[in-house]
Structure formats: C-alpha cells, structure tokens
Amino acid sequence: QVQLVESGGGLVQPGGSLRLSCAASGLIFSNYVMTWFRQAPGKERELVAHIGTAADATSYADFVSGRFTISRDNARNTVYLQMNSLKPEDTALYYCNAVHLLNSRDVYWGQGTQVTVSS
C-alpha cells in the first residue's frame, strides 16, 4: 500500500521558517516526480514546487519568489520543502503528490500538513 505522509507544519510568525517533509512508502520513490501543492480555505489548490526524479530539475510557483526550496533524498524516500520568509498568505494545508515518471495516471497524494503564519 502506497503512503505519503507529510510532517513539519505548524504555527510560525511572519518572517519565520519551516521545513516540511513527505515520507513515501510502498513505491519505488526514485521513479516518481514529486510536487508540493497547497490549499488555503476558500481557495483552489495550487502548485508550490516540483522536483524531478533525480532532483535534477526543479520549478516553483511565481509566488515563491526565491523563499522556498524543494529537495529530495531518494535513499530516504523523502521530499522536503524548506520555507523561509513566510508570509500570512502562505497559510494553507500543504500536500505532497507523487506521479510516476512514465505513467501520469499513477498518482498518489498525502493527507497534508497545516502551515499557519500568524503573529
């Protein structure tokens, strides 16, 4: 059974940092492209950052503006999102997503971890 388990969310003050983790099990992690999404209350889910299977390609949403860094450790089956200079508008439920490199219908989602940025 495939599982994606996010952790690392919490309450942080504006300007603070958090590091999210997404641990995968039940799949060959290195075959999956990994993406972080987020969804704020009343808003559509949006892509935050994306990383290729060998961490050789990353991309970010425009709103990240150099504040976040996505990385992965294929030996630990984990993808990370380092978030710095957090803003109140970053408050959302953050999800990780796995899509097989060769089969876009082979998709998994985690349950999410809540990030709240507030003073």
Side-chain angles (χ1 to χ4, degrees), residues 35-74:
T35 305
W36 285 98
F37 287 84
R38 72 183 188 184
Q39 188 166 19
K43 294 189 176 181
E44 297 288 321
R45 184 166 57 196
E46 58 185 355
L47 185 148
V48 178
H50 168 98
I51 187 165
T53 55
D56 52 347
T58 59
S59 64
Y60 298 90
D62 288 343
F63 61 76
V64 169
S65 301
R67 300 180 297 128
F68 298 176
T69 303
I70 189 170
S71 61
R72 66 189 293 160
D73 184 342
N74 285 348

XYZ file of all heavy atoms in Angstrom, residues 35-74:
314
model
N 5.782 16.659 -6.154
C 5.291 18.037 -6.177
C 4.662 18.382 -4.841
O 3.982 17.548 -4.237
C 4.248 18.207 -7.289
O 4.808 17.791 -8.544
C 3.795 19.654 -7.416
N 4.896 19.592 -4.386
C 4.169 20.159 -3.253
C 3.065 21.062 -3.792
O 3.318 21.909 -4.656
C 5.086 20.967 -2.350
C 5.988 20.146 -1.498
C 7.300 19.822 -1.729
C 5.658 19.541 -0.227
N 7.788 19.051 -0.711
C 6.803 18.865 0.228
C 4.504 19.499 0.555
C 6.836 18.162 1.437
C 4.532 18.805 1.744
C 5.677 18.149 2.181
N 1.872 20.873 -3.232
C 0.731 21.728 -3.507
C 0.285 22.343 -2.185
O 0.655 21.874 -1.109
C -0.437 20.920 -4.074
C -0.259 20.450 -5.476
C 0.431 19.275 -5.753
C -0.800 21.158 -6.542
C 0.587 18.825 -7.060
C -0.650 20.722 -7.846
C 0.054 19.546 -8.107
N -0.563 23.353 -2.279
C -1.178 23.903 -1.077
C -2.597 24.347 -1.402
O -2.929 24.641 -2.555
C -0.359 25.056 -0.509
C -0.413 26.338 -1.317
C 0.504 27.384 -0.703
N 0.346 28.689 -1.327
C 1.079 29.748 -1.023
N 2.045 29.671 -0.099
N 0.869 30.896 -1.635
N -3.396 24.373 -0.348
C -4.766 24.858 -0.492
C -5.161 25.623 0.751
O -5.128 25.079 1.859
C -5.742 23.705 -0.731
C -7.149 24.170 -1.067
C -8.015 23.065 -1.622
O -7.736 21.881 -1.459
N -9.083 23.443 -2.321
N -5.511 26.873 0.549
C -5.983 27.724 1.630
C -7.510 27.662 1.676
O -8.150 27.373 0.658
C -5.515 29.156 1.401
N -8.093 27.941 2.825
C -9.559 27.896 2.935
C -10.220 28.802 1.899
O -9.839 29.959 1.737
C -9.813 28.404 4.360
C -8.567 28.074 5.103
C -7.457 28.253 4.123
N -11.184 28.237 1.185
C -11.920 29.012 0.206
C -11.196 29.267 -1.094
O -11.694 30.003 -1.953
N -10.007 28.663 -1.249
C -9.234 28.884 -2.475
C -8.969 27.565 -3.183
O -9.072 26.488 -2.595
C -7.909 29.571 -2.141
C -8.070 30.984 -1.603
C -6.729 31.681 -1.497
C -6.885 33.117 -1.058
N -5.587 33.827 -0.981
N -8.598 27.671 -4.451
C -8.235 26.496 -5.224
C -6.871 25.965 -4.787
O -6.012 26.723 -4.314
C -8.159 26.862 -6.718
C -9.476 27.310 -7.326
C -10.430 26.153 -7.486
O -9.972 25.064 -7.855
O -11.640 26.347 -7.238
N -6.693 24.661 -4.963
C -5.365 24.087 -4.703
C -4.388 24.628 -5.745
O -4.725 24.751 -6.927
C -5.448 22.571 -4.787
C -4.163 21.854 -4.446
C -4.411 20.380 -4.224
N -5.032 19.757 -5.369
C -5.627 18.572 -5.348
N -5.685 17.884 -4.221
N -6.152 18.076 -6.440
N -3.173 24.936 -5.313
C -2.182 25.484 -6.236
C -0.842 24.786 -6.066
O -0.485 24.348 -4.982
C -2.018 26.995 -6.030
C -1.622 27.423 -4.642
C -1.600 28.941 -4.459
O -1.799 29.689 -5.446
O -1.365 29.383 -3.324
N -0.131 24.699 -7.170
C 1.202 24.082 -7.162
C 2.184 25.031 -6.494
O 2.170 26.238 -6.755
C 1.637 23.779 -8.587
C 2.950 23.033 -8.795
C 2.859 22.153 -10.036
C 4.129 23.976 -8.901
N 3.027 24.477 -5.658
C 4.045 25.274 -4.971
C 5.423 25.047 -5.589
O 6.109 25.977 -5.973
C 4.095 24.926 -3.472
C 5.193 25.709 -2.772
C 2.745 25.183 -2.817
N 5.806 23.750 -5.685
C 7.138 23.423 -6.198
C 7.144 21.991 -6.685
O 6.355 21.165 -6.225
C 8.196 23.623 -5.122
N 8.088 21.701 -7.555
C 8.106 20.442 -8.291
C 9.563 20.011 -8.438
O 10.433 20.857 -8.638
C 7.462 20.743 -9.655
C 7.600 19.713 -10.690
N 6.620 18.797 -10.969
C 8.603 19.477 -11.576
C 7.029 18.041 -11.963
N 8.211 18.429 -12.357
N 9.820 18.696 -8.323
C 11.200 18.217 -8.458
C 11.216 16.922 -9.244
O 10.375 16.033 -9.039
C 11.857 18.056 -7.071
C 13.348 17.734 -7.208
C 11.139 17.007 -6.216
C 14.119 17.926 -5.888
N 12.170 16.808 -10.151
C 12.303 15.614 -10.966
C 12.795 14.417 -10.176
O 13.162 14.513 -9.010
N 12.821 13.284 -10.843
C 13.132 12.040 -10.145
C 14.539 11.998 -9.566
O 14.761 11.400 -8.513
C 12.946 10.844 -11.091
O 13.748 11.059 -12.258
C 11.491 10.675 -11.494
N 15.480 12.601 -10.255
C 16.862 12.599 -9.778
C 17.254 13.943 -9.201
O 18.445 14.236 -9.064
C 17.795 12.229 -10.923
N 16.266 14.741 -8.845
C 16.492 16.075 -8.278
C 17.264 16.970 -9.234
O 17.897 17.944 -8.807
C 17.226 15.981 -6.945
N 17.202 16.637 -10.508
C 17.959 17.401 -11.495
C 17.161 18.531 -12.108
O 17.695 19.312 -12.899
C 18.445 16.459 -12.602
C 17.315 15.619 -13.183
O 16.224 15.580 -12.578
O 17.517 15.006 -14.234
N 15.904 18.608 -11.739
C 15.062 19.666 -12.285
C 14.061 20.091 -11.236
O 13.381 19.242 -10.649
C 14.330 19.179 -13.529
N 14.006 21.373 -10.973
C 13.046 21.907 -10.020
C 12.329 23.095 -10.657
O 12.874 23.758 -11.555
C 13.714 22.368 -8.716
O 14.692 23.372 -9.029
C 14.390 21.218 -7.998
N 11.129 23.333 -10.192
C 10.417 24.528 -10.625
C 9.543 24.999 -9.484
O 9.189 24.209 -8.597
C 9.582 24.263 -11.877
O 8.573 23.318 -11.604
N 9.205 26.286 -9.528
C 8.486 26.911 -8.426
C 7.388 27.823 -8.958
O 7.508 28.407 -10.040
C 9.446 27.751 -7.575
C 10.542 26.952 -6.928
C 11.755 26.736 -7.571
C 10.352 26.393 -5.664
C 12.755 25.982 -6.980
C 11.351 25.647 -5.053
C 12.553 25.441 -5.718
O 13.534 24.700 -5.128
N 6.347 27.962 -8.159
C 5.321 28.944 -8.470
C 5.900 30.343 -8.332
O 6.841 30.566 -7.555
C 4.145 28.774 -7.519
N 5.335 31.270 -9.060
C 5.843 32.647 -9.014
C 5.786 33.235 -7.615
O 6.678 33.995 -7.205
C 5.040 33.530 -9.975
C 5.347 33.231 -11.432
O 6.385 32.582 -11.700
O 4.550 33.642 -12.295
N 4.783 32.863 -6.838
C 4.631 33.473 -5.516
C 5.733 33.033 -4.545
O 5.917 33.634 -3.501
C 3.255 33.176 -4.913
C 2.963 31.712 -4.693
C 3.538 31.012 -3.639
C 2.096 31.038 -5.534
C 3.264 29.672 -3.426
C 1.814 29.691 -5.337
C 2.405 29.010 -4.276
N 6.456 31.981 -4.880
C 7.548 31.537 -4.003
C 8.657 32.578 -3.956
O 9.237 32.833 -2.892
C 8.079 30.172 -4.478
C 9.374 29.815 -3.767
C 7.029 29.092 -4.257
N 8.975 33.163 -5.112
C 9.919 34.295 -5.174
C 11.235 34.030 -4.446
O 11.732 34.894 -3.718
C 9.264 35.559 -4.598
O 8.109 35.898 -5.307
N 11.774 32.830 -4.604
C 13.067 32.518 -4.013
C 13.031 32.187 -2.539
O 14.079 31.983 -1.919
N 11.849 32.108 -1.943
C 11.760 31.874 -0.494
C 11.760 30.391 -0.127
O 12.122 30.024 0.995
C 10.461 32.511 0.029
C 10.397 34.006 -0.199
C 9.092 34.587 0.347
N 7.931 34.044 -0.354
C 6.884 33.495 0.265
N 6.854 33.413 1.583
N 5.855 33.044 -0.450
N 11.333 29.532 -1.053
C 11.205 28.106 -0.760
C 12.223 27.310 -1.584
O 12.577 27.696 -2.702
C 9.812 27.595 -1.135
C 8.656 28.223 -0.395
C 7.352 27.871 -0.732
C 8.841 29.128 0.641
C 6.264 28.407 -0.070
C 7.768 29.683 1.321
C 6.479 29.326 0.955
N 12.609 26.156 -1.043
C 13.490 25.241 -1.762
C 12.960 23.824 -1.633
O 12.752 23.343 -0.512
C 14.919 25.295 -1.214
O 15.417 26.633 -1.293
C 15.836 24.371 -2.011
N 12.763 23.174 -2.765
C 12.344 21.776 -2.768
C 13.574 20.905 -2.973
O 14.483 21.256 -3.741
C 11.272 21.501 -3.849
C 10.692 20.097 -3.703
C 11.822 21.749 -5.249
C 9.462 19.849 -4.582
N 13.611 19.788 -2.274
C 14.713 18.840 -2.420
C 14.176 17.443 -2.159
O 13.061 17.276 -1.662
C 15.860 19.177 -1.468
O 15.430 19.105 -0.123
N 14.975 16.453 -2.489
C 14.561 15.072 -2.244
C 15.780 14.239 -1.893
O 16.901 14.524 -2.325
C 13.834 14.476 -3.448
C 14.668 14.288 -4.686
C 13.799 13.893 -5.889
N 13.203 12.571 -5.729
C 12.141 12.157 -6.419
N 11.556 12.964 -7.306
N 11.666 10.937 -6.236
N 15.516 13.194 -1.120
C 16.539 12.219 -0.763
C 15.986 10.857 -1.159
O 15.141 10.296 -0.447
C 16.831 12.294 0.745
C 17.949 11.369 1.172
O 18.272 10.430 0.422
O 18.486 11.570 2.262
N 16.425 10.351 -2.284
C 15.870 9.084 -2.772
C 16.268 7.898 -1.884
O 15.563 6.887 -1.859
C 16.309 8.835 -4.214
C 15.557 9.713 -5.199
O 14.555 10.345 -4.850
N 16.040 9.783 -6.423
